[in-house]
Amino acid sequence: MKTLILITSLIMTLITSQSVFSQTKRVPAFAGRAEYVEVEPGVKLHVTDLGDGQPIVLIHGWPLSDEMYQYQYQYLVRKGFRVIGISLRGFGKSDKPYGKYNFDVFSDDIYAVLHTLKIENAVLGGFSMGGAASIHYVNKYKSAHISKLALFGAAAPSWKQRPGYSYGISEENAAGLIKQTMTSREDLIAGLGAAFAAEGTTLPPNTEKWLENINLSASPYAVTESIASLGELDLRPVLKDITIPVAIFQGVKDKLIEYAQAEQLHKGLKNSYIVRFEKSGHALFVEEMDKFNSELEKFARK
């Protein structure tokens, strides 16, 4: 009996010592990248930060989050880039405080993330509302931390029709959309999958479900306030001041942002070019994923 106890004790000692030894010798798997960045006291944004090399920073559309870029992360990291997706306040896993949700706030938040992460010489890419936010950021902060701008189905230079600008959503339809965010948000979001698809097509059911789940994670208050702010934003006067290289990705069959709006951006941005996505609607990042990824890589490497 004493022999058995002695053997058991010896075995336990060996197991414990090996465990301690293996832990002290183990190289940490954590790369030191924070998943949340504080942009002002009490407000943290969720950030996907993967890879090493030339940074590409991606801003989501309305009412999505940084999760929309999952296939861009997978591709770009393996091509040698550091890719960073930022969920704006009120969206995805970011904090959802009461307060302002306008484009000055979004630009300030983007700057805070880039400054905190010490990002330089980045490509800044924005989809839909995120495209408008990206243009606003470049103008407000004079291209701080970035050297190129990519716009994907951007809700710009104006999402809404205005005097002298006949493109985009009408005042009446914009008001109806804002009301719907306050009275039947779940129905609105359920219909976005069909609205995102190219004319005459539908997105795969699981893709629609994936996008719907992301959209439902947004704060209802932020959803309403941000789209109302987008309706007030007119970026036409600032385009002439943007001189960094700009790539404009646009689905030819986009039902939400017409191709003519991309052409207006191209006319206003002196150092820009358009990449046509012939088979895509608004969801060009999944509808023509391979082309989207390779064209973004090509632009980043120029």
Side-chain angles (χ1 to χ4, degrees):
M1 185 64 178
K2 289 182 179 180
T3 303
L4 181 59
I5 292 172
L6 182 61
I7 293 172
T8 302
S9 177
L10 180 60
I11 291 172
M12 291 303 296
T13 300
L14 287 171
I15 291 173
T16 303
S17 64
Q18 287 178 352
S19 176
V20 172
F21 179 78
S22 63
Q23 287 299 317
T24 56
K25 294 295 184 181
R26 180 179 179 275
V27 176
F30 176 50
R33 303 281 177 85
E35 192 174 357
Y36 291 87
V37 175
E38 188 171 57
V39 293
E40 67 181 47
V43 181
K44 293 182 178 180
L45 301 192
H46 181 264
V47 175
T48 297
D49 186 356
L50 306 172
D52 298 286
Q54 166 75 19
I56 298 177
V57 179
L58 300 174
I59 310 298
H60 62 87
W62 178 91
L64 291 155
S65 77
D66 71 271
E67 292 184 43
M68 67 164 281
Y69 290 114
Q70 64 168 327
Y71 299 119
Q72 284 65 56
Y73 300 147
Q74 294 279 25
Y75 178 88
L76 293 168
V77 166
R78 289 164 176 80
K79 293 293 184 177
F81 293 95
R82 180 179 180 182
V83 58
I84 300 164
I86 302 172
S87 281
L88 300 172
R89 65 173 65 199
F91 297 89
K93 297 176 183 177
S94 289
D95 286 347
K96 302 171 175 63
Y98 172 69
K100 294 180 180 179
Y101 284 89
N102 60 39
F103 288 80
D104 276 329
V105 172
F106 292 151
S107 293
D108 293 346
D109 287 350
I110 292 168
Y111 178 83
V113 172
L114 300 184
H115 180 75
T116 299
L117 298 183
K118 296 180 172 58
I119 300 301
E120 297 296 340
N121 195 37
V123 177
L124 177 64
F127 169 69
S128 196
M129 183 186 80
S134 297
I135 294 171
H136 191 278
Y137 169 84
V138 170
N139 180 64
K140 181 174 183 178
Y141 283 99
K142 309 304 178 189
S143 304
H145 300 287
I146 73 163
S147 57
K148 297 178 183 177
L149 176 63
L151 303 170
F152 320 130
S158 175
W159 172 61
K160 195 168 66 175
Q161 295 173 11
R162 301 177 183 280
Y165 188 84
S166 60
Y167 312 101
I169 192 169
S170 68
E171 180 73 44
E172 181 182 5
N173 287 341
L177 178 62
I178 292 169
K179 182 179 180 180
Q180 197 174 2
T181 68
M182 296 186 284
T183 58
S184 54
R185 182 177 71 103
E186 62 279 7
D187 293 332
L188 171 64
I189 287 175
L192 283 179
F196 268 40
E199 293 178 5
T201 68
T202 58
L203 297 178
N206 285 338
T207 301
E208 280 199 20
K209 182 179 178 181
W210 166 60
L211 292 174
E212 183 177 353
N213 287 339
I214 297 174
N215 290 334
L216 287 171
S217 69
S219 154
Y221 179 77
V223 165
T224 301
E225 292 299 302
S226 60
I227 198 67
S229 293
L230 181 62
E232 298 303 315
L233 187 68
D234 185 359
L235 293 165
R236 289 176 296 166
V238 309
L239 297 183
K240 66 182 184 304
D241 300 322
I242 297 174
T243 58
I244 60 174
V246 183
I248 302 167
F249 291 17
Q250 182 64 41
V252 174
K253 300 179 180 180
D254 195 331
K255 293 177 286 189
L256 297 179
I257 303 295
E258 58 186 304
Y259 190 84
Q261 288 173 269
E263 293 177 324
Q264 290 299 307
L265 279 173
H266 178 46
K267 289 179 182 178
L269 293 163
K270 60 189 70 174
N271 192 12
S272 68
Y273 68 94
I274 297 179
V275 181
R276 291 171 58 99
F277 287 77
E278 302 289 346
K279 302 175 184 178
S280 291
H282 201 50
L284 64 171
F285 58 98
V286 288
E287 290 175 293
E288 293 183 74
M289 184 196 307
D290 290 343
K291 179 176 181 178
F292 186 100
N293 292 345
S294 62
E295 288 290 344
L296 183 53
E297 178 192 2
K298 186 191 303 182
F299 177 58
R301 294 192 189 281
K302 282 185 177 181

